[in-house]
């Protein structure tokens, strides 16, 4: 038998990683928390600058998983929730802080206002006023909006006038204040003078009857249900009458026509064939063909007769 070829022990199998790279992979460890937070905050700033608020909220959640008490991440997430109109989530986040929401009392009041919980928002605002924050412009804006929604138009007008006196001219804030002030002033004018003027413009018979008439009674749900039940059969009968097909008078139907089976006649049957939509305007190619419609004149018939006579002259009889 021939001897077996010697194999070298130093060779490695194809595709296998060398021992040094395997050791490096085994020794590779995840980045420290500080570096991961730095990268996440860099991504968060880029997402906010680009207006990608939904992704920015997810990045805030990643940061808070690494550091649940990070104040920057908490403040940024609350800001993003308010920007994306997630007021219920913002309230839940404020309630989970543990201090009763005192650190973000203004954000709590604003969220309650946007959720139409005016009484709770007013109580939070009263607490903020007691903390020497009455001069805060954001607080004054929110108080004016809350007064307008609750119908306290005089308070809203006073607050907007104070804000207008200290607003920068030709600014966006001044434009918003003027718009809100005009709306509050119109409501106030109607309550104080416009309503009374409208009553004075009415005839005396109507105005006297309005003053002496009792207030309208609110109908109960059972009465409304009975009225609806009484009107339902009439409505159903009207619907059945409209949906019922009309009967065809057989006297007016031509012979050989079965209603509903025979196809309807062509609506263009009264038009010329050249004017119908199915007519194809085809031009004849070339000349000749049939002589239908040719009119012979007297001169042409006489010429043909003379030609025939001259032709018969030259022929000899056999």
């Amino acid at each position: 038998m021939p001897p077996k070829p010697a194999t070298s022990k130093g060779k490695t199998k194809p595709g296998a990683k060398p021992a040094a790279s395997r050791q490096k992979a085994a020794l590779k460890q995840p980045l420290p928390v500080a570096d991961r937070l730095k990268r996440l905050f860099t991504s968060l700033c880029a997402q906010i600058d680009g207006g990608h608020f939904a992704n920015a909220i997810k990045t805030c959640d990643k940061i808070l998983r690494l550091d649940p008490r990070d104040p920057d991440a908490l403040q940024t997430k609350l800001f993003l929730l308010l920007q994306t109109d997630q007021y219920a989530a913002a309230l839940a986040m404020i309630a989970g802080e543990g201090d009763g929401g005192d650190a973000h009392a203004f954000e709590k009041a604003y969220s309650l206002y946007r959720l139409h919980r005016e009484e709770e928002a007013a109580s939070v605002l009263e607490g903020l006023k007691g903390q020497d924050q009455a001069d805060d412009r954001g607080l004054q804006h929110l108080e004016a909006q809350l007064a307008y929604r609750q119908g306290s138009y005089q308070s809203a007008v006073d607050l907007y006038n104070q804000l207008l006196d200290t607003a920068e001219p030709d600014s966006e804030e001044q434009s918003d204040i003027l718009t809100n002030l005009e709306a509050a002033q119109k409501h106030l004018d109607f309550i104080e003078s416009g309503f009374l003027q409208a009553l004075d413009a009415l005839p005396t018979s109507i105005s006297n009857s309005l003053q002496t008439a009792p207030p309208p009674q609110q109908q109960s749900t059972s009465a409304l249900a009975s009225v609806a039940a009484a009107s339902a059969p009439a409505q159903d009968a009207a619907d059945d009458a409209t949906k019922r097909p009309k009967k065809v008078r057989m006297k007016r139907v031509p012979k050989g026509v079965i209603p509903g089976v025979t196809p309807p006649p062509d609506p263009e049957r009264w038009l010329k064939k050249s004017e119908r939509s199915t007519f194809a305007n085809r031009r004849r190619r070339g000349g000749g063909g049939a002589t239908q419609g040719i009119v012979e004149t007297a001169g042409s018939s006489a010429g043909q007769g003379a030609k025939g006579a001259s032709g018969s002259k030259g022929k000899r009889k056999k």
Side-chain angles (χ1 to χ4, degrees):
M1 290 180 65
K4 293 182 180 180
T7 57
S8 60
K9 296 182 180 180
K11 291 184 178 180
T12 59
K13 294 181 180 180
K17 295 182 179 179
S21 61
R22 287 199 301 269
Q23 290 177 359
K24 289 182 180 179
L27 295 174
K28 189 176 181 181
Q29 296 179 356
L31 291 174
V33 177
D35 294 343
R36 294 172 64 184
L37 289 174
K38 185 177 179 180
R39 291 187 179 185
L40 288 173
F41 272 111
T42 304
S43 302
L44 180 60
C45 293
Q47 290 166 352
I48 293 174
D49 292 340
H52 308 291
F53 293 155
N55 294 334
I57 293 174
K58 296 179 181 179
T59 306
C60 288
D61 292 335
K62 294 179 181 179
I63 295 172
L64 292 174
R65 280 196 292 267
L66 296 175
D67 188 1
R69 308 305 302 173
D70 189 284
D72 296 330
L74 290 170
Q75 183 68 28
T76 305
K77 184 180 179 181
L78 182 59
F79 165 77
L80 292 171
L81 290 175
L82 295 176
Q83 285 291 322
T84 53
D85 299 340
Q86 301 182 41
Y87 304 111
L91 282 177
M93 181 179 173
I94 294 170
E97 292 179 354
D99 55 353
D102 295 337
H104 299 97
F106 176 77
E107 289 81 0
K108 181 179 180 180
Y110 180 74
S111 300
L112 291 170
Y113 163 76
R114 294 304 299 266
L115 292 174
H116 297 276
R117 295 161 62 177
E118 288 83 6
E119 294 181 0
E120 300 178 46
S123 64
V124 176
L125 283 177
E126 290 296 330
L128 287 174
K129 286 182 181 179
Q131 299 175 6
D132 298 333
Q133 298 184 17
D135 296 335
D136 185 72
R137 296 189 65 82
L139 187 62
Q140 291 179 357
H141 274 283
L142 182 56
E143 186 180 2
Q145 293 174 6
L146 187 60
Y148 177 82
R149 182 177 290 182
Q150 291 179 330
S152 302
Y153 301 114
Q154 185 62 55
S155 300
V157 169
D158 295 340
L159 289 169
Y160 282 128
N161 282 324
Q162 293 177 11
L163 290 169
L164 187 62
D165 293 339
T166 55
E168 296 183 3
D170 300 331
S171 63
E172 185 177 358
E173 183 189 10
Q174 186 186 30
S175 177
D176 294 340
I177 292 172
L178 288 173
T179 303
N180 296 335
L181 178 60
E182 182 181 2
Q185 188 65 49
K186 284 183 178 180
H187 281 81
L188 186 62
D189 293 341
F190 177 76
I191 291 173
E192 291 182 349
S193 58
F195 175 70
L196 298 176
Q197 291 176 1
L199 287 178
D200 294 339
L202 292 174
T204 55
S205 59
I206 298 177
S207 60
N208 294 332
S209 63
L210 287 175
Q211 293 178 1
T212 58
Q217 296 180 357
Q218 186 177 3
Q219 294 183 356
S220 61
T221 56
S222 58
L224 293 175
S226 61
V227 171
S231 61
Q235 185 67 25
D236 295 341
D239 294 341
D240 294 340
T242 55
K243 293 179 181 178
R244 189 179 303 166
K246 295 182 180 180
K247 293 183 179 180
V248 180
R249 297 182 181 180
M250 298 304 296
K251 294 181 180 180
R252 298 183 180 181
V253 178
K255 293 182 179 180
V257 176
I258 302 174
V261 178
T262 306
D266 187 7
E268 297 182 353
R269 62 187 182 276
W270 308 112
L271 301 176
K272 296 180 182 180
K273 290 186 177 181
S274 59
E275 295 178 358
R276 298 180 187 178
S277 59
T278 57
F279 177 75
N281 190 10
R282 301 177 180 176
R283 296 182 179 179
R284 295 179 179 177
R285 297 181 179 179
T291 59
Q292 183 179 359
I294 295 179
V295 180
E296 295 183 358
T297 58
S300 61
S301 59
Q304 289 179 1
K307 186 177 180 180
S310 62
S312 60
K313 227 180 221 184
K315 291 184 180 180
R316 293 182 181 180
K317 294 182 180 179
K318 292 183 181 180

